[in-house]
Amino acid sequence: MPTPNHPNIRHIRLLVACAETGSLTSAAAILGITQPAASQALRRLEELLNATLVERDAMTLTAEGQIAQQRFRRLLGLIRQACGPAAKAAIGVIEMRLTWPHLRAIATFAEHGSFSAAARMLEQSEPAVQRAAREAEAVTGISLFENSGRNVRLTAAGLSAARWFGLAISEFENLRDELLETRNHYAGRISIGTLPLTRTFLVPDVVALLASRYPLARFEIVEGSYGVLIDDLERGRIDILVGALRRSLISKTLHQEPLFDFDLSVVGRANHPLTQRREITPDDLANYPWVVARRDTPSRETFNTVAATFPKDKPARQSVETGSLNAIRGVLLKSDHLALLSRYQIRYELEAGFLAAMDYPLPDSRRPVGVTLRRHWLPTALQAEFLALLREHSAELD
């Protein structure tokens, strides 16, 4: 029988129980299976991971087994979080019946919003994905879905379960990467969410450096709005979020770490009329249209403060709203528009003489840039090195 490319949750429980009891026989008894069946399950898990997890003579964990046990404990804990306190008494039975396809069906439905989209992503038939999702609902005893007209959507409990299931899946993928790292084979993946400020200079710089060190490593740079990326981070779709920090992050599962501070400048094309003025006034700024950042961003807050100083009869002309630096550059280069940008974001354009930063002081425009991470996140060696390099490069910017 060929080894599947996904784990069996019962086999994961078996390894954890074996580590806790120091006996495969005792672990088999806890799971209610025979010792030969336990031996076969352990062997299949090792084949899946291409690793030796247990020394058979002493029934002790190998170095690889210790790594696996740590990740597996976390994985099972995430599944228990998904099932919630109501399923606490039945968690043993749930873990015996819950399968990896169940987890993937729920997590992928949540990410893509429909069974048809989830089926395409998983390369399965839609009935197969629906069946797995409904089985997960029956196994956990939680109402995961509800009908909304002709559409099916996740309930609040379903959204919560999907989040924890997604993190459990990520934990297993991190285990695979970590086991390869113990053999000095750095072929893992880092998924980095980026906000506008760090898309052009910090994240690309660190990725380029780390990619040169580890040619087989894979780096996914994800762009999006703050709200979307925060959701991706909470669900394990990305590993790290890098960008301007928020003054208040209300989350029990995330935390922020500042890296450096940045200042904004009024920016326009190199031959903008305001570049010829020795002293720029609020009235001057009100004469030109603006490209503004999206609502509820630090840059937009600063713009609102600046716009409040404009003459009452000349309100700010916010003609373009975008979070795309490419779009901002294009508009600035082809018009008299102004924008608030950090010099870090446009360092190449400043050096090339395409854009210019106006000599206009912006009060209270200093903002922190940093990383947002999941609490209790356990990075692989590659992910930890990426984070260390972010800190190192950021220290040179202060």
Side-chain angles (χ1 to χ4, degrees), residues 132-348:
R134 294 302 186 181
E135 286 175 358
E137 193 171 40
V139 168
T140 59
I142 302 171
S143 295
L144 301 176
F145 297 94
E146 62 184 2
N147 294 323
S148 177
R150 294 184 178 181
N151 299 319
V152 177
R153 66 185 182 188
L154 289 167
T155 62
L159 287 169
S160 177
R163 173 173 169 267
W164 295 112
F165 285 164
L167 290 173
I169 293 169
S170 295
E171 200 70 37
F172 182 73
E173 295 306 319
N174 283 341
L175 167 60
R176 279 181 151 160
D177 292 344
E178 197 169 7
L179 290 174
L180 289 174
E181 289 171 351
T182 64
R183 301 161 204 160
N184 205 31
H185 185 68
Y186 288 77
R189 182 184 70 93
I190 306 176
S191 183
I192 309 125
T194 58
L195 295 171
L197 186 70
T198 58
R199 288 172 186 164
T200 58
F201 77 100
L202 179 60
V203 170
D205 292 351
V206 173
V207 166
L209 176 57
L210 208 54
S212 67
R213 291 181 185 177
Y214 307 111
L216 297 179
R218 293 162 293 141
F219 302 89
E220 180 187 22
I221 300 176
V222 181
E223 298 184 7
S225 67
Y226 180 77
V228 169
L229 292 175
I230 281 290
D231 185 63
D232 285 346
L233 181 63
E234 287 188 311
R235 295 181 180 279
R237 297 172 191 154
I238 60 176
D239 302 307
I240 301 169
L241 175 57
V242 190
L245 301 181
R246 277 16 184 197
R247 287 192 173 94
S248 59
L249 175 66
I250 303 173
S251 173
K252 295 181 180 179
T253 60
L254 303 177
H255 71 98
Q256 299 183 141
E257 176 189 331
L259 294 175
F260 67 94
D261 292 337
F262 72 97
D263 293 294
L264 293 173
S265 299
V266 177
V267 174
R269 57 187 171 87
N271 57 348
H272 193 284
L274 287 185
T275 60
Q276 308 302 317
R277 298 188 69 88
R278 290 187 176 181
E279 184 174 339
I280 299 173
T281 66
D283 185 69
D284 295 327
L285 297 180
N287 287 329
Y288 297 96
W290 285 79
V291 184
V292 297
R294 296 194 183 281
R295 297 178 186 277
D296 300 321
T297 63
S299 294
R300 185 62 172 268
E301 291 176 8
T302 300
F303 173 79
N304 291 340
T305 301
V306 172
T309 67
F310 292 0
K312 291 183 179 179
D313 61 337
K314 297 173 70 175
R317 295 155 58 192
Q318 305 171 39
S319 66
V320 180
E321 178 180 308
T322 180
S324 167
L325 184 57
N326 286 333
I328 296 172
R329 275 195 302 243
V331 173
L332 294 183
L333 291 170
K334 298 294 184 179
S335 70
D336 284 340
H337 279 72
L338 299 172
L340 295 184
L341 295 170
S342 164
R343 292 173 184 267
Y344 294 127
Q345 291 175 278
I346 54 170
R347 59 178 177 175
Y348 299 118

Side-chain angles (χ1 to χ4, degrees), residues 31-94:
L31 269 68
I33 60 176
T34 65
Q35 201 276 342
S39 295
Q40 186 179 50
L42 181 58
R43 184 168 62 253
R44 287 182 179 173
L45 189 58
E46 290 179 323
E47 290 172 356
L48 174 65
L49 294 172
N50 190 28
T52 301
L53 304 178
V54 177
E55 293 288 356
R56 296 303 194 273
D57 293 339
M59 289 310 299
T60 56
L61 294 180
T62 63
E64 292 178 319
Q66 291 173 5
I67 293 172
Q69 182 206 25
Q70 182 182 35
R71 291 285 181 185
F72 284 162
R73 281 178 174 274
R74 293 166 61 86
L75 189 156
L76 292 175
L78 292 166
I79 291 175
R80 288 164 186 162
Q81 287 276 11
C83 295
K88 185 176 181 180
I91 194 63
V93 175
I94 291 173

Side-chain angles (χ1 to χ4, degrees), residues 270 333 346-356:
L333 291 170
I346 54 170
R347 59 178 177 175
Y348 299 118
E349 288 82 358
L350 291 175
E351 291 171 1
F354 297 142
L355 297 177

